[in-house]
Amino acid sequence: MHLTDAPFAEKKFMTVNGQRMAYIDEGEGDAIVFSHGNPTSSYLWRNIMPAVKGMGRLIAADLIGQGDSDKLPNSGPDSYSFAEQRSYIHALWDKLDLGDNIIFVIHDWGSALAFDYMSKHSDRVQGIAYMESIVMPLEWADFGENVRPAFQALRSPAGDTMVLQDNIFVEQLLLGMGRPLSDAVKAEYRRPFLNPGEDRRPTLSWPRQLPIAGEPADVVEAVNAYSQWLATTLVPKLYFHATPGIIDQNPNQVAFCRTFANQEEIQVQGAHFIPEDDPETVAPGVAAFVRRLRGIT
């Protein structure tokens, strides 16, 4: 396959809850929704979306404060929570009128936001392709020793300097691990977070919102609710199991994923940002999944 550094399509903009959100919306037919996490944007999917071009309406939004979506005014320590992010992306999806046969392709925090949405609109979901996703609440023991100290530090006061000043979630976790990225790709991922301080707040809020050891309680409650839905729903699923992975280093998570009904599994190579690390596997895997669900030959 041909890999590109260029975005999949030009972004459109819509006002949601008083803020401007950026998104891609290309093609016609039933929706295929791509949902990114921290600290990426819809750009994450540039080498995956072409594989399903012509198979439906392709939608990929930038979460609020990320990509080309607005930064929140008067941002501070309580900004960009899971609940606040959810209020924006769910409202955008509703405004986009996704229809009744939605296939979701999801990663990282984009998975949590999408799982929450799907569990409340299960009759409208045709399929789920997920990778390095948040499927259950966590304990600190679930983190590999190579990443646990960093995430513990991010949830401490030291995290403010690590992220708001040093930008480590972009520089070390996104750009410093996994497959080497071109200068153009690095520049695009850095662009929304060039300014130190509150412009980088989303990338700090996300690790502080991870449902670990019962905290934050509202996120644990939300994840528990959709986790129960995942354990019982018959919606077709495609699980990209990452090796070595970050989330997939947790054997409890992998075991739980493998209990899901009506699911197939594909092995992918990568640390966490799987669409960057192994698009050669993800793109055709997603395409085959969509073709099968939609009867496309």
Side-chain angles (χ1 to χ4, degrees), residues 41-57:
S41 66
S42 57
Y43 185 71
L44 178 74
W45 303 109
R46 72 193 178 282
N47 284 310
I48 312 303
M49 296 176 78
V52 292
K53 189 175 181 178
M55 299 185 197
R57 180 186 172 200

Side-chain angles (χ1 to χ4, degrees), residues 109-144:
W109 274 105
S111 73
L113 294 162
F115 286 143
D116 185 84
Y117 188 87
M118 286 185 270
S119 69
K120 298 167 182 173
H121 303 87
S122 58
D123 58 332
R124 297 171 54 203
V125 182
Q126 187 179 27
I128 311 165
Y130 68 103
M131 61 207 79
E132 280 287 289
S133 294
I134 300 168
V135 300
M136 58 189 287
L138 303 167
E139 300 294 335
W140 282 115
D142 294 328
F143 285 75

Side-chain angles (χ1 to χ4, degrees), residues 3-15:
L3 299 181
T4 181
D5 294 348
F8 175 69
E10 185 176 349
K11 291 176 184 176
K12 301 174 171 67
F13 296 89
M14 183 181 293
T15 299

Side-chain angles (χ1 to χ4, degrees), residues 167-242:
N167 205 23
I168 73 150
F169 219 98
V170 173
E171 295 298 332
Q172 294 186 26
L173 296 177
L174 172 58
L175 305 183
M177 64 193 304
R179 187 172 182 162
L181 301 174
S182 71
D183 289 344
V185 173
K186 290 179 179 179
E188 176 59 24
Y189 281 133
R190 285 175 172 139
R191 184 174 59 82
F193 307 112
L194 288 174
N195 297 324
E198 288 302 315
D199 276 7
R200 296 173 179 171
R201 177 67 65 178
T203 73
L204 178 59
S205 294
W206 277 132
R208 289 177 170 176
Q209 289 285 291
L210 282 168
I212 306 172
E215 297 292 339
D218 65 320
V219 183
V220 172
E221 181 180 6
V223 175
N224 267 326
Y226 73 61
S227 181
Q228 292 172 18
W229 175 78
L230 283 168
T232 57
T233 183
L234 296 179
V235 171
K237 304 165 202 71
L238 173 59
Y239 170 35
F240 289 97
H241 175 229

